[in-house]
PDB file of all heavy atoms in Angstrom:
ATOM      1  N   VAL A1142     106.900  -1.233 156.154  1.00  0.00           N
ATOM      2  CA  VAL A1142     107.521  -2.296 155.372  1.00  0.00           C
ATOM      3  C   VAL A1142     108.495  -3.052 156.285  1.00  0.00           C
ATOM      4  O   VAL A1142     109.193  -2.439 157.086  1.00  0.00           O
ATOM      5  CB  VAL A1142     108.274  -1.667 154.176  1.00  0.00           C
ATOM      6  CG1 VAL A1142     109.088  -2.708 153.442  1.00  0.00           C
ATOM      7  CG2 VAL A1142     107.293  -0.991 153.235  1.00  0.00           C
ATOM      8  N   SER A1143     108.541  -4.355 156.191  1.00  0.00           N
ATOM      9  CA  SER A1143     109.416  -5.227 157.004  1.00  0.00           C
ATOM     10  C   SER A1143     109.172  -5.097 158.506  1.00  0.00           C
ATOM     11  O   SER A1143     110.098  -5.213 159.294  1.00  0.00           O
ATOM     12  CB  SER A1143     110.905  -4.966 156.773  1.00  0.00           C
ATOM     13  OG  SER A1143     111.180  -4.657 155.462  1.00  0.00           O
ATOM     14  N   GLN A1144     107.946  -4.837 158.892  1.00  0.00           N
ATOM     15  CA  GLN A1144     107.629  -4.796 160.319  1.00  0.00           C
ATOM     16  C   GLN A1144     107.844  -6.179 160.939  1.00  0.00           C
ATOM     17  O   GLN A1144     107.466  -7.189 160.367  1.00  0.00           O
ATOM     18  CB  GLN A1144     106.163  -4.375 160.492  1.00  0.00           C
ATOM     19  CG  GLN A1144     105.651  -4.431 161.913  1.00  0.00           C
ATOM     20  CD  GLN A1144     106.298  -3.383 162.793  1.00  0.00           C
ATOM     21  OE1 GLN A1144     106.287  -2.207 162.482  1.00  0.00           O
ATOM     22  NE2 GLN A1144     106.906  -3.824 163.884  1.00  0.00           N
ATOM     23  N   THR A1145     108.464  -6.222 162.105  1.00  0.00           N
ATOM     24  CA  THR A1145     108.630  -7.483 162.828  1.00  0.00           C
ATOM     25  C   THR A1145     107.409  -7.725 163.717  1.00  0.00           C
ATOM     26  O   THR A1145     106.887  -6.788 164.316  1.00  0.00           O
ATOM     27  CB  THR A1145     109.884  -7.415 163.708  1.00  0.00           C
ATOM     28  OG1 THR A1145     110.978  -7.062 162.885  1.00  0.00           O
ATOM     29  CG2 THR A1145     110.151  -8.744 164.384  1.00  0.00           C
ATOM     30  N   PHE A1146     106.981  -8.954 163.761  1.00  0.00           N
ATOM     31  CA  PHE A1146     105.890  -9.352 164.655  1.00  0.00           C
ATOM     32  C   PHE A1146     106.434 -10.331 165.679  1.00  0.00           C
ATOM     33  O   PHE A1146     107.300 -11.146 165.362  1.00  0.00           O
ATOM     34  CB  PHE A1146     104.748 -10.003 163.865  1.00  0.00           C
ATOM     35  CG  PHE A1146     103.954  -9.025 163.044  1.00  0.00           C
ATOM     36  CD1 PHE A1146     104.443  -8.559 161.837  1.00  0.00           C
ATOM     37  CD2 PHE A1146     102.739  -8.546 163.503  1.00  0.00           C
ATOM     38  CE1 PHE A1146     103.735  -7.637 161.087  1.00  0.00           C
ATOM     39  CE2 PHE A1146     102.016  -7.629 162.756  1.00  0.00           C
ATOM     40  CZ  PHE A1146     102.510  -7.169 161.553  1.00  0.00           C
ATOM     41  N   GLY A1147     105.925 -10.256 166.888  1.00  0.00           N
ATOM     42  CA  GLY A1147     106.400 -11.194 167.893  1.00  0.00           C
ATOM     43  C   GLY A1147     105.481 -11.214 169.099  1.00  0.00           C
ATOM     44  O   GLY A1147     104.525 -10.433 169.205  1.00  0.00           O
ATOM     45  N   TYR A1148     105.812 -12.121 170.015  1.00  0.00           N
ATOM     46  CA  TYR A1148     105.029 -12.247 171.241  1.00  0.00           C
ATOM     47  C   TYR A1148     105.385 -11.119 172.207  1.00  0.00           C
ATOM     48  O   TYR A1148     106.443 -10.502 172.095  1.00  0.00           O
ATOM     49  CB  TYR A1148     105.299 -13.594 171.901  1.00  0.00           C
ATOM     50  CG  TYR A1148     104.778 -14.752 171.085  1.00  0.00           C
ATOM     51  CD1 TYR A1148     105.614 -15.438 170.206  1.00  0.00           C
ATOM     52  CD2 TYR A1148     103.450 -15.145 171.175  1.00  0.00           C
ATOM     53  CE1 TYR A1148     105.135 -16.486 169.439  1.00  0.00           C
ATOM     54  CE2 TYR A1148     102.968 -16.198 170.417  1.00  0.00           C
ATOM     55  CZ  TYR A1148     103.805 -16.866 169.547  1.00  0.00           C
ATOM     56  OH  TYR A1148     103.321 -17.893 168.802  1.00  0.00           O
ATOM     57  N   ILE A1149     104.506 -10.897 173.144  1.00  0.00           N
ATOM     58  CA  ILE A1149     104.724  -9.838 174.126  1.00  0.00           C
ATOM     59  C   ILE A1149     105.073 -10.483 175.462  1.00  0.00           C
ATOM     60  O   ILE A1149     104.348 -11.355 175.965  1.00  0.00           O
ATOM     61  CB  ILE A1149     103.467  -8.958 174.273  1.00  0.00           C
ATOM     62  CG1 ILE A1149     103.052  -8.413 172.906  1.00  0.00           C
ATOM     63  CG2 ILE A1149     103.710  -7.829 175.264  1.00  0.00           C
ATOM     64  CD1 ILE A1149     104.088  -7.569 172.198  1.00  0.00           C
ATOM     65  N   PHE A1150     106.179 -10.064 175.998  1.00  0.00           N
ATOM     66  CA  PHE A1150     106.660 -10.559 177.276  1.00  0.00           C
ATOM     67  C   PHE A1150     105.701 -10.130 178.379  1.00  0.00           C
ATOM     68  O   PHE A1150     105.338  -8.962 178.485  1.00  0.00           O
ATOM     69  CB  PHE A1150     108.060  -9.984 177.503  1.00  0.00           C
ATOM     70  CG  PHE A1150     108.622 -10.245 178.864  1.00  0.00           C
ATOM     71  CD1 PHE A1150     108.968 -11.525 179.259  1.00  0.00           C
ATOM     72  CD2 PHE A1150     108.825  -9.196 179.751  1.00  0.00           C
ATOM     73  CE1 PHE A1150     109.505 -11.755 180.501  1.00  0.00           C
ATOM     74  CE2 PHE A1150     109.364  -9.423 181.007  1.00  0.00           C
ATOM     75  CZ  PHE A1150     109.703 -10.707 181.383  1.00  0.00           C
ATOM     76  N   ASP A1151     105.298 -11.097 179.194  1.00  0.00           N
ATOM     77  CA  ASP A1151     104.328 -10.778 180.243  1.00  0.00           C
ATOM     78  C   ASP A1151     104.875 -11.246 181.587  1.00  0.00           C
ATOM     79  O   ASP A1151     104.149 -11.770 182.423  1.00  0.00           O
ATOM     80  CB  ASP A1151     103.002 -11.481 179.904  1.00  0.00           C
ATOM     81  CG  ASP A1151     101.860 -11.011 180.787  1.00  0.00           C
ATOM     82  OD1 ASP A1151     101.911  -9.862 181.248  1.00  0.00           O
ATOM     83  OD2 ASP A1151     100.927 -11.805 181.016  1.00  0.00           O
ATOM     84  N   GLY A1152     106.159 -11.143 181.764  1.00  0.00           N
ATOM     85  CA  GLY A1152     106.758 -11.520 183.040  1.00  0.00           C
ATOM     86  C   GLY A1152     107.260 -12.957 183.035  1.00  0.00           C
ATOM     87  O   GLY A1152     107.122 -13.679 182.046  1.00  0.00           O
ATOM     88  N   PHE A1153     107.870 -13.330 184.140  1.00  0.00           N
ATOM     89  CA  PHE A1153     108.359 -14.699 184.289  1.00  0.00           C
ATOM     90  C   PHE A1153     107.391 -15.465 185.183  1.00  0.00           C
ATOM     91  O   PHE A1153     106.786 -14.891 186.092  1.00  0.00           O
ATOM     92  CB  PHE A1153     109.753 -14.692 184.934  1.00  0.00           C
ATOM     93  CG  PHE A1153     110.769 -13.971 184.106  1.00  0.00           C
ATOM     94  CD1 PHE A1153     111.277 -12.746 184.512  1.00  0.00           C
ATOM     95  CD2 PHE A1153     111.201 -14.499 182.897  1.00  0.00           C
ATOM     96  CE1 PHE A1153     112.204 -12.073 183.739  1.00  0.00           C
ATOM     97  CE2 PHE A1153     112.124 -13.829 182.125  1.00  0.00           C
ATOM     98  CZ  PHE A1153     112.629 -12.614 182.541  1.00  0.00           C
ATOM     99  N   TRP A1154     107.276 -16.749 184.895  1.00  0.00           N
ATOM    100  CA  TRP A1154     106.451 -17.589 185.759  1.00  0.00           C
ATOM    101  C   TRP A1154     107.135 -17.686 187.120  1.00  0.00           C
ATOM    102  O   TRP A1154     108.345 -17.926 187.186  1.00  0.00           O
ATOM    103  CB  TRP A1154     106.326 -18.994 185.188  1.00  0.00           C
ATOM    104  CG  TRP A1154     105.553 -19.098 183.916  1.00  0.00           C
ATOM    105  CD1 TRP A1154     106.051 -19.018 182.666  1.00  0.00           C
ATOM    106  CD2 TRP A1154     104.156 -19.330 183.775  1.00  0.00           C
ATOM    107  NE1 TRP A1154     105.056 -19.174 181.739  1.00  0.00           N
ATOM    108  CE2 TRP A1154     103.863 -19.373 182.396  1.00  0.00           C
ATOM    109  CE3 TRP A1154     103.098 -19.502 184.678  1.00  0.00           C
ATOM    110  CZ2 TRP A1154     102.594 -19.584 181.892  1.00  0.00           C
ATOM    111  CZ3 TRP A1154     101.826 -19.721 184.176  1.00  0.00           C
ATOM    112  CH2 TRP A1154     101.573 -19.747 182.799  1.00  0.00           C
ATOM    113  N   SER A1155     106.363 -17.494 188.153  1.00  0.00           N
ATOM    114  CA  SER A1155     106.916 -17.708 189.498  1.00  0.00           C
ATOM    115  C   SER A1155     106.496 -19.094 189.970  1.00  0.00           C
ATOM    116  O   SER A1155     105.622 -19.724 189.364  1.00  0.00           O
ATOM    117  CB  SER A1155     106.389 -16.641 190.449  1.00  0.00           C
ATOM    118  OG  SER A1155     105.002 -16.845 190.654  1.00  0.00           O
ATOM    119  N   GLU A1156     107.110 -19.545 191.048  1.00  0.00           N
ATOM    120  CA  GLU A1156     106.744 -20.854 191.612  1.00  0.00           C
ATOM    121  C   GLU A1156     105.239 -20.898 191.889  1.00  0.00           C
ATOM    122  O   GLU A1156     104.568 -21.882 191.653  1.00  0.00           O
ATOM    123  CB  GLU A1156     107.510 -21.095 192.926  1.00  0.00           C
ATOM    124  CG  GLU A1156     109.018 -21.282 192.765  1.00  0.00           C
ATOM    125  CD  GLU A1156     109.378 -22.613 192.118  1.00  0.00           C
ATOM    126  OE1 GLU A1156     108.470 -23.425 191.870  1.00  0.00           O
ATOM    127  OE2 GLU A1156     110.589 -22.816 191.838  1.00  0.00           O
ATOM    128  N   ASN A1157     104.756 -19.766 192.383  1.00  0.00           N
ATOM    129  CA  ASN A1157     103.350 -19.684 192.741  1.00  0.00           C
ATOM    130  C   ASN A1157     102.456 -19.785 191.506  1.00  0.00           C
ATOM    131  O   ASN A1157     101.430 -20.460 191.517  1.00  0.00           O
ATOM    132  CB  ASN A1157     103.119 -18.364 193.483  1.00  0.00           C
ATOM    133  CG  ASN A1157     101.759 -18.336 194.132  1.00  0.00           C
ATOM    134  OD1 ASN A1157     101.289 -19.364 194.632  1.00  0.00           O
ATOM    135  ND2 ASN A1157     101.108 -17.185 194.097  1.00  0.00           N
ATOM    136  N   ASP A1158     102.888 -19.100 190.434  1.00  0.00           N
ATOM    137  CA  ASP A1158     102.120 -19.173 189.185  1.00  0.00           C
ATOM    138  C   ASP A1158     102.030 -20.607 188.695  1.00  0.00           C
ATOM    139  O   ASP A1158     100.991 -21.046 188.189  1.00  0.00           O
ATOM    140  CB  ASP A1158     102.803 -18.344 188.076  1.00  0.00           C
ATOM    141  CG  ASP A1158     102.835 -16.864 188.402  1.00  0.00           C
ATOM    142  OD1 ASP A1158     102.065 -16.435 189.285  1.00  0.00           O
ATOM    143  OD2 ASP A1158     103.634 -16.145 187.777  1.00  0.00           O
ATOM    144  N   ILE A1159     103.139 -21.333 188.852  1.00  0.00           N
ATOM    145  CA  ILE A1159     103.186 -22.694 188.316  1.00  0.00           C
ATOM    146  C   ILE A1159     102.185 -23.579 189.040  1.00  0.00           C
ATOM    147  O   ILE A1159     101.524 -24.410 188.429  1.00  0.00           O
ATOM    148  CB  ILE A1159     104.617 -23.267 188.435  1.00  0.00           C
ATOM    149  CG1 ILE A1159     105.595 -22.450 187.598  1.00  0.00           C
ATOM    150  CG2 ILE A1159     104.667 -24.722 188.050  1.00  0.00           C
ATOM    151  CD1 ILE A1159     105.360 -22.489 186.110  1.00  0.00           C
ATOM    152  N   THR A1160     102.049 -23.365 190.353  1.00  0.00           N
ATOM    153  CA  THR A1160     101.102 -24.208 191.077  1.00  0.00           C
ATOM    154  C   THR A1160      99.671 -23.871 190.689  1.00  0.00           C
ATOM    155  O   THR A1160      98.779 -24.693 190.809  1.00  0.00           O
ATOM    156  CB  THR A1160     101.282 -24.045 192.599  1.00  0.00           C
ATOM    157  OG1 THR A1160     101.287 -22.644 192.895  1.00  0.00           O
ATOM    158  CG2 THR A1160     102.571 -24.672 193.075  1.00  0.00           C
ATOM    159  N   ASN A1161      99.472 -22.634 190.206  1.00  0.00           N
ATOM    160  CA  ASN A1161      98.129 -22.263 189.757  1.00  0.00           C
ATOM    161  C   ASN A1161      98.116 -22.081 188.238  1.00  0.00           C
ATOM    162  O   ASN A1161      97.539 -21.141 187.719  1.00  0.00           O
ATOM    163  CB  ASN A1161      97.698 -20.956 190.411  1.00  0.00           C
ATOM    164  CG  ASN A1161      97.718 -21.065 191.905  1.00  0.00           C
ATOM    165  OD1 ASN A1161      97.132 -21.978 192.480  1.00  0.00           O
ATOM    166  ND2 ASN A1161      98.429 -20.151 192.552  1.00  0.00           N
ATOM    167  N   VAL A1162      98.786 -23.009 187.556  1.00  0.00           N
ATOM    168  CA  VAL A1162      99.007 -22.805 186.136  1.00  0.00           C
ATOM    169  C   VAL A1162      97.703 -22.673 185.361  1.00  0.00           C
ATOM    170  O   VAL A1162      97.624 -22.000 184.343  1.00  0.00           O
ATOM    171  CB  VAL A1162      99.920 -23.919 185.570  1.00  0.00           C
ATOM    172  CG1 VAL A1162      99.160 -25.228 185.487  1.00  0.00           C
ATOM    173  CG2 VAL A1162     100.525 -23.532 184.255  1.00  0.00           C
TER     174      VAL A1162
END
Side-chain angles (χ1 to χ4, degrees):
Chain A
V1142 172
S1143 324
Q1144 174 68 54
T1145 305
F1146 288 78
Y1148 293 95
I1149 305 301
F1150 172 68
D1151 191 28
F1153 298 109
W1154 292 91
S1155 68
E1156 292 289 356
N1157 192 37
D1158 296 342
I1159 297 295
T1160 50
N1161 302 308
V1162 73

